[in-house]
Amino acid sequence: MTVVIATIKSWNIKKAEETIKKSKHHIKLITDKNELNYENLNSFNPEYIFFPHWSWIIPDKVYNNFNCVVFHMTDLPYGRGGSPLQNLIVRGVENTKISALKVDGGLDTGPIYFKKVLNLNGSAEEIFLRASNLIFDEMIPEIINNEIKPKEQLGEVVEFKRRKPYQSEIKKDFSLSKVYDYIRMLDAEGYPEAYIKYGDLKLEFSRAKLTADGIVADVKIKRLTEDDLDGE
């Protein structure tokens, strides 16, 4: 079988490369959005194109001609939309499901192949690594080997909005647990770190640990910029 994996995050790229080495299938890895076009894909003619983490719109000519499968970190149709991990954590969700769905042009509206339970403890990077292992070790092989037919989504639709960088600010009325959640849910490659404004300074936090009497975390201090105030 011929398969394409399109992803941009380092943990997924590493996992994809490991999968390519041990798989009996012919797998092509795409990490550049310019390579995700019909002409390029047609020359490869994949049975499936998997998107473990992709930040760009998938062209309609691509999903209309190939089986495109995305992995969304919510129990769809609950949680359609952007920033699923952060939106789940700010809502106090401790366990979610990764939904494998066929791309149909809507925003996370496609039919579902199946779902797998995912725990949301730890930092965002730890969660993404956990999700990556689940996707590559269980979900992709299950779809390829069993030729599962996706089924239409059922249930109440709840939509998430993509969070903006200014929404990463830690406010003075936050509880200790909420401060911890804000830090950990943004602690991963490519995400704006949780921060506190102090005068014209910005204190950015990462590597948080919740202890018996507080939070221990790394902090980076820099000047506020106009971008930090965008959306306020």
Side-chain angles (χ1 to χ4, degrees):
M1 182 176 289
T2 303
V3 172
V4 167
I5 296 174
T7 188
I8 58 172
K9 295 299 183 182
S10 61
W11 49 83
N12 284 328
I13 293 172
K14 180 180 179 181
K15 197 71 180 177
E17 290 171 342
E18 293 173 357
T19 300
I20 290 171
K21 289 180 180 179
K22 64 184 181 182
S23 178
K24 64 181 180 181
H25 302 293
H26 187 199
I27 301 176
K28 178 179 176 60
L29 174 62
I30 289 179
T31 60
D32 183 346
K33 68 175 181 178
N34 295 318
E35 293 183 20
L36 194 81
N37 59 73
Y38 173 77
E39 290 71 25
N40 184 37
L41 293 167
N42 192 47
S43 65
F44 198 65
N45 195 28
E47 277 83 354
Y48 292 98
I49 305 175
F50 294 107
F51 296 85
H53 198 134
W54 192 252
S55 296
W56 299 285
I57 294 174
I58 300 169
D60 55 2
K61 195 171 182 180
V62 171
Y63 66 73
N64 282 329
N65 286 279
F66 304 101
N67 290 319
C68 294
V69 183
V70 300
F71 300 90
H72 192 72
M73 199 181 286
T74 71
D75 187 3
L76 291 172
Y78 175 86
R80 291 178 180 174
S83 309
L85 174 57
Q86 291 73 31
N87 276 304
L88 288 169
I89 290 178
V90 297
R91 286 166 172 76
V93 177
E94 297 180 356
N95 290 285
T96 185
K97 291 182 180 179
I98 299 179
S99 298
L101 66 149
K102 181 179 174 65
V103 179
D104 68 353
L107 188 59
D108 305 316
T109 58
I112 304 291
Y113 287 91
F114 57 83
K115 304 172 183 180
K116 293 283 187 178
V117 175
L118 177 70
N119 180 265
L120 298 179
N121 289 332
S123 69
E125 183 165 332
E126 290 170 337
I127 297 167
F128 284 133
L129 286 169
R130 195 179 303 137
S132 184
N133 289 333
L134 193 60
I135 290 168
F136 281 93
D137 295 342
E138 298 185 28
M139 300 183 80
I140 289 178
E142 190 167 339
I143 293 172
I144 291 175
N145 296 330
N146 297 326
E147 298 184 358
I148 300 170
K149 301 298 182 183
K151 298 180 180 180
E152 295 301 315
Q153 296 183 23
L154 298 174
E156 181 183 357
V157 175
V158 175
E159 295 184 346
F160 287 167
K161 292 184 178 180
R162 184 171 298 279
R163 292 176 63 85
K164 306 294 185 181
Y166 76 88
Q167 293 177 292
S168 304
E169 182 180 2
I170 297 170
K171 303 291 188 177
K172 62 182 180 181
D173 61 344
F174 280 13
S175 65
L176 199 63
S177 61
K178 188 170 183 178
V179 171
Y180 173 66
D181 280 344
Y182 260 58
I183 297 172
R184 74 182 183 92
M185 76 182 191
L186 294 160
D187 195 1
E189 170 190 312
Y191 288 84
E193 293 171 327
Y195 68 92
I196 291 174
K197 290 188 293 186
Y198 185 77
D200 63 349
L201 299 177
K202 182 181 184 183
L203 286 66
E204 296 180 334
F205 298 92
S206 61
R207 295 167 57 89
K209 294 187 182 300
L210 194 60
T211 66
D213 58 354
I215 298 171
V216 177
D218 291 350
V219 60
K220 177 170 59 179
I221 304 173
K222 60 186 185 182
R223 296 287 180 185
L224 281 169
T225 67
E226 290 186 5
D227 290 341
D228 296 323
L229 304 175
D230 182 36
E232 295 186 335

